Amino acid sequence: MDKLYIHGGKPLQGKVTISGAKNSAVALIPATILADGPTTIENLPGISDVRIFADLLQDLGGKTELNNGEFYVDPRKMKEIPLPNGKVKKLRASYYLMGALLGKFGQACVGLPGGCNLGPRPIDQHIKGFEALGAEVTNDHGAISIVAKELRGARIYLDVVSVGATINIMLAAVRAKGRTIIENAAKEPEIIDVATLLSSMGAKIKGAGTDVIRIEGVDYLKGCRHTIIPDRIETGTFMIASAATRGQVILDNVIPKHMESLMSKLREVGVRIDTKDDQMLVDGSAGEFSSVDIKTLVHPGFPTDLQQPMTTLLTQAKGTSIVTDTIYSARFKHVDELRRMGANIKVEGRSAIIDGSTPLQGTKVTASDLRAGAALVVAGLIANGITEISGVEHIDRGYEYLEAKLKALGAETWRNSDQEPSKIVMLDRY
Ligand code: EPU
């Protein structure tokens, strides 16, 4: 297994270009199944979750190609085949195959999804949505089987605001007969991105990005060309890393509007941020950092996916900060590792309580999940000495060319293998 090494202590300086959004990509790829012709997605990130998903489309009989970051999918020869095990278990977003296959073929059999272990991650709201659309859902030894004689539009109120359930119901509903209304829908930018792709295919969707989404089902969807939005979590991770190392970094290909909650917390900490169009300057070089309290919320609140790297930054802020995760109760596996590096943190219930500032010391640590990995990378960048991070496969699920980007910003980082997995991933596969 790969290990990532970072010799910390150097402020990040320079310019970094943000890649396409992982959590859009893993929904846009299955959405291409719904079309009756080929679709091209531009700016797909070279991450392992994308590779696995592309393989899954081939398993279903699709033709896929990648040229210069453009992903071409021809779904015309795809068939609905059961996917109870194997690759679907490796990623969380395989649940989008349920909505996409149901919408296209009227049936799907997909193993319960894998992904990061962040505590309980039920999919009851997805299932509630499919059932409301007229499908019969059964759980056969961990594989969810969904069959509909005919999908019919329905009014669906989500009891929990869920990104996955909102997108999955949209995927199934765009080809259902009649009108579907999703109430208490999630409002994340990735939902707008998926709705934009589906609309370019000819779907009739109104209200994506608000808490009520209205969909008129159509019989036919054409292929199209779509450019994926920038990854707001990668953006946030580089913003936090730049600030935490007391660096000055320009981030290119960003949507500042998506970053408002993080920007306001970083400014409270004492970081200077300037934005223009699709660029942002993050300057953490001046003054002492102040403690802040953070509560993760659904969009446009502070994203749970940035809570972990932000915790690392707050070890460098004077005073006590409290970070509360209202979305995932157990997303604190990075805390023990940060403590081993010298941080003064404890977990109480759903909150991490951080007393700062404390210098961090490089040591051997393990990434238990993707964003815990991001938190440890930020810690390695600010620590004295060398940090050795195991569990890098989690990080490779979500960050494209991480070392190359960090090195270009002046960080000293390397792996115990010669090649960068993101590059291997793309070359092997296509
Ligand atoms: N929930 C339910 N029932 C459901 C669905 C969700 O109770 O049927 C609960 C979850 O347990 C959680 C909350 O609702 O407490 C929100 O879950 P949501 O469905 O919104 O999460 P998700 O769609 O499974 C996506 C991202 C996550 C991100 C969350 C929240 C993808 C593939 N994953 O997950 O991203 O944390 O939204 O924004 O889009 C990551 O990128 O590291 C990551 C974990």
Side-chain angles (χ1 to χ4, degrees):
M1 283 291 185
D2 277 8
K3 289 194 170 104
L4 180 66
Y5 296 85
I6 302 174
H7 190 176
K10 297 182 183 63
L12 297 184
Q13 301 280 352
K15 187 168 169 180
V16 63
T17 301
I18 299 302
S19 302
K22 160 188 167 276
N23 287 344
S24 271
V26 295
L28 296 171
I29 296 172
T32 62
I33 296 174
L34 287 160
D36 297 295
T39 291
T40 300
I41 303 175
E42 294 173 11
N43 202 24
L44 210 63
I47 53 176
S48 59
D49 270 14
V50 162
R51 173 182 55 79
I52 296 168
F53 233 129
D55 283 347
L56 278 163
L57 291 201
Q58 288 212 333
D59 292 349
L60 291 165
K63 188 175 166 224
T64 64
E65 281 167 26
L66 186 98
N67 285 313
N68 295 330
E70 277 195 9
F71 184 63
Y72 168 90
V73 187
D74 184 346
R76 282 175 292 190
K77 295 205 168 119
M78 276 189 193
K79 290 191 171 58
E80 191 282 315
I81 57 165
L83 299 165
N85 288 307
K87 295 180 197 100
V88 292
K89 297 281 183 194
K90 291 192 181 161
L91 68 168
R92 179 80 191 149
S94 51
Y95 52 40
Y96 291 134
L97 287 168
M98 298 176 190
L101 291 172
L102 180 63
K104 178 77 172 261
F105 301 108
Q107 60 182 40
C109 175
V110 182
L112 277 170
C116 293
N117 177 6
L118 312 176
R121 299 180 78 180
I123 57 164
D124 55 303
Q125 298 304 305
H126 305 230
I127 290 169
K128 171 179 160 171
F130 299 146
E131 286 176 339
L133 294 172
E136 197 169 302
V137 184
T138 48
N139 184 341
D140 186 11
H141 298 98
I144 304 292
S145 175
I146 311 164
V147 182
K149 281 205 187 79
E150 183 181 63
L151 285 176
R152 287 204 162 271
R155 182 180 280 265
I156 301 159
Y157 179 88
L158 295 180
D159 304 318
V160 182
V161 181
S162 159
V163 176
T166 303
I167 292 178
N168 233 342
I169 295 168
M170 275 191 341
L171 293 175
V174 286
R175 295 194 67 153
K177 284 219 165 10
R179 169 180 286 198
T180 298
I181 301 176
I182 310 173
E183 292 175 317
N184 203 24
K187 296 183 280 205
E188 270 66 3
E190 293 75 27
I191 289 159
I192 304 178
D193 206 19
V194 176
T196 305
L197 171 86
L198 293 170
S199 300
S200 303
M201 288 176 174
K204 294 187 177 157
I205 305 175
K206 284 190 182 149
T210 75
D211 57 6
V212 181
I213 301 179
R214 291 184 167 79
I215 302 163
E216 288 292 341
V218 295
D219 293 336
Y220 173 86
L221 291 173
K222 61 181 192 294
C224 68
R225 176 174 279 271
H226 177 81
T227 303
I228 198 163
I229 55 169
D231 194 310
R232 64 195 168 95
I233 307 303
E234 189 198 10
T235 307
T237 305
F238 274 99
M239 289 168 72
I240 291 167
S242 308
T245 59
R246 301 298 192 150
Q248 286 175 310
V249 173
I250 293 171
L251 291 91
D252 196 20
N253 188 38
V254 301
I255 300 180
K257 177 88 187 140
H258 291 174
M259 308 310 304
E260 279 176 349
S261 58
L262 176 65
M263 282 198 281
S264 91
K265 282 298 165 186
L266 285 176
R267 285 181 176 132
E268 245 183 88
V269 164
V271 179
R272 193 185 125 212
I273 301 172
D274 295 328
T275 63
K276 70 168 190 205
D277 300 332
D278 62 350
Q279 283 198 341
M280 190 184 276
L281 168 75
V282 176
D283 181 355
S285 61
E288 197 170 47
F289 286 166
S290 310
S291 58
V292 294
D293 291 343
I294 289 172
K295 195 179 260 191
T296 69
L297 291 168
V298 295
H299 192 76
F302 193 95
T304 168
D305 297 340
L306 289 174
Q307 168 267 105
Q308 292 159 295
M310 191 67 181
T311 302
T312 305
L313 179 136
L314 292 174
T315 66
Q316 305 306 301
K318 194 167 185 308
T320 303
S321 302
I322 302 178
V323 176
T324 305
D325 199 321
T326 69
I327 313 284
Y328 295 116
S329 55
R331 207 171 198 178
F332 290 109
K333 299 204 178 74
H334 57 302
V335 163
D336 280 346
E337 304 304 293
L338 290 178
R339 216 166 15 213
R340 281 151 41 68
M341 295 177 75
N344 191 353
I345 315 184
K346 61 181 175 191
V347 177
E348 277 182 15
R350 286 176 166 255
S351 301
I353 299 160
I354 307 134
D355 274 315
S357 74
T358 47
L360 298 184
Q361 186 61 45
T363 185
K364 292 183 181 181
V365 288
T366 302
S368 56
D369 57 81
L370 168 57
R371 308 303 172 187
L376 296 177
V377 168
V378 176
L381 290 168
I382 55 182
N384 297 314
I386 294 175
T387 300
E388 177 188 302
I389 306 176
S390 307
V392 183
E393 63 283 4
H394 293 293
I395 303 175
D396 292 333
R397 290 188 38 230
Y399 291 92
E400 181 183 45
Y401 303 141
L402 181 66
E403 291 104 284
K405 289 184 181 186
L406 288 174
K407 276 185 202 159
L409 295 174
E412 206 182 318
T413 176
W414 65 99
R415 286 194 189 224
N416 58 346
S417 67
D418 292 342
Q419 288 169 293
E420 258 190 67
S422 302
K423 284 183 186 146
I424 301 167
V425 160
M426 298 317 264
L427 295 176
D428 269 5
R429 171 62 184 68
Y430 302 101

